[in-house]
Amino acid sequence: MSATPKSERTRAHLREVAIRMLRDVGYERTTMRAVAAEAGVSTGNAYYHFPSKDALVQELYLEVQREHAERSAPVLAAGGSLTERLRGVWAASVDAFAPFHAFGAEFVSVAIRPGSDASPFSAASATSRDLSRALFEDVVAGSSTRLPERLRAQLPELLWLAHLGITLFWVYDTSPGFTRTRRLVDGGAALVGSLVRLARLPVARAVVDDVLRLVRDVSPAPTTDRGERA
Amino acid sequence: MSATPKSERTRAHLREVAIRMLRDVGYERTTMRAVAAEAGVSTGNAYYHFPSKDALVQELYLEVQREHAERSAPVLAAGGSLTERLRGVWAASVDAFAPFHAFGAEFVSVAIRPGSDASPFSAASATSRDLSRALFEDVVAGSSTRLPERLRAQLPELLWLAHLGITLFWVYDTSPGFTRTRRLVDGGAALVGSLVRLARLPVARAVVDDVLRLVRDVSPAPTTDRGERA
DNA sequence: GGCCGTTTTTGAACATGTTCAAAAACTAGC
DNA sequence: GCTAGTTTTTGAACATGTTCAAAAACGGCC
């Protein structure tokens, strides 16, 4: 159970090789045999350390998430309005994901499978999910924008979900430099600001409550493990 | 090139067997060998008629889309408010998709791959996509709700996109009878009504314009084939 | 150092999606 | 009816993800 240095090195090496190959040659050509060979071990050994190819993808997912957190740190430290902070964190994710765009589609395809460990809702993804969620907690918490309490509570979750949507959009974005995704990020962040301002008006209160209630009603119970298999 | 009756029968039979197997035993256990065997032909022959397993999935996709259109027809013929019509068409899709829920995840996983023929944005999906889009054109066109012109033009597209989102949600929905998805449909349709009403207020005009402009700016050019491969 | 149980590693084996060269069935022209 | 070309069908072959029984390496205990 404990980390035997030797075995741990094999595992780390496999992980490293896999991440590099996924980035450089893509999902399909990153075969388990190729990873194992490149790492100088047998195919079976790769399976001893990682239960599936998806598990290796999962490692990359975590890596990218860490990169996103790192790139977001300066933005989050800087204060500013909700819109500014949100734009910064969303934009940081585009930058952090960029090297893996070719791989993005395959990843989403794997991650979207409800039973998959790579799914952003799975138990196995808890670490990366919490990492990502925390960013949006911080975006809201550190923002200078005044927020109605009922919004403040649910906003981080909503922004995280929106982030998943933006990522999905990015996967399909073939524009050079991801111009379209960046436009979406800029426009989206500005829009959130406008909507929050609008939400303060009495005339919008009912609608805002409806939205919040709908999201709450429709979400699975927070205590439930959301990564269940069929 | 023309439809030889004999060959056409083989093709139709394969298609039928594949759809039945996908529904009854799921994606994984519907192997090409099993489909071919069940249809009484060789494995290679299945590949002669359908270039890939995805192509068979594509057939099922079209089938379900037709089912959705059929179930929507009475709703669309009945008139009513935007909310009512939207709720009806969205609810019809939950009913139409229901028998394929087990398979839904696998399907989305296949369909979401940008290069995939099953992608809702691919050229190969044009038939089913147009079928689906037309439903939302009709929802808006036949509705008794008064709409600002600029909204009326873009709304069908937005509702279709929302429908994709709802379908994605449904894939993850393990609640009995898809209660949660149905709540989302009801709440979502009501919300669209409220938002449209709100959009008429002068104070909201700027935000509405922002949303519409963002969607327009961010969408790929409509003439471009959106199913491009990397 | 030598033995025993555990961890790690190996390489062959299996099922599946897919490809392909060759065989079979079919069609058209005579 | 026969031949030549085309369409359809076959079955073996290949690469890949994954499993597994056996071998090797390791670690603790005498």
Side-chain angles (χ1 to χ4, degrees), chain A residues 97-117:
Chain A
F97 293 1
F100 303 98
H101 188 255
F103 165 72
E106 305 292 346
F107 174 69
V108 170
S109 171
V110 168
I112 208 139
R113 192 168 283 140
S116 162
D117 281 350

Side-chain angles (χ1 to χ4, degrees), chain B residues 95-158:
Chain B
D95 295 333
F97 293 2
F100 303 98
H101 188 255
F103 165 73
E106 305 293 346
F107 174 68
V108 170
S109 170
V110 168
I112 209 141
R113 191 168 286 141
S116 163
D117 283 349
S119 159
F121 300 105
S122 80
S125 293
T127 312
S128 12
R129 179 174 60 244
D130 293 346
L131 203 62
S132 186
R133 279 233 183 98
L135 295 180
F136 295 99
E137 286 286 352
D138 198 345
V139 162
V140 173
S143 128
S144 64
T145 305
R146 250 176 0 106
L147 287 169
E149 187 46 41
R150 65 198 199 292
L151 239 189
R152 214 206 143 293
Q154 268 189 272
L155 199 52
E157 172 87 5
L158 291 178

Side-chain angles (χ1 to χ4, degrees), chain A residues 70-174:
Chain A
E70 220 168 283
R71 285 171 187 261
S72 298
V75 176
L76 292 174
S81 71
L82 179 63
T83 296
E84 285 164 355
R85 294 167 71 77
L86 189 53
R87 185 189 356 244
V89 169
W90 275 345
S93 90
V94 178
D95 295 332
F97 293 1
F100 303 98
H101 188 255
F103 165 72
E106 305 292 346
F107 174 69
V108 170
S109 171
V110 168
I112 208 139
R113 192 168 283 140
S116 162
D117 281 350
S119 160
F121 301 104
S122 79
S125 293
T127 311
S128 13
R129 180 172 61 247
D130 292 347
L131 203 61
S132 185
R133 279 230 182 102
L135 295 180
F136 295 98
E137 285 286 352
D138 198 344
V139 163
V140 173
S143 129
S144 63
T145 306
R146 251 177 358 107
L147 288 168
E149 186 47 42
R150 64 198 197 294
L151 241 188
R152 216 207 141 293
Q154 269 188 271
L155 199 53
E157 172 88 5
L158 291 178
L159 297 179
W160 178 72
L161 286 171
H163 179 237
L164 291 184
I166 289 170
T167 306
L168 192 55
F169 182 90
W170 167 81
V171 162
Y172 283 93
D173 185 1
T174 55

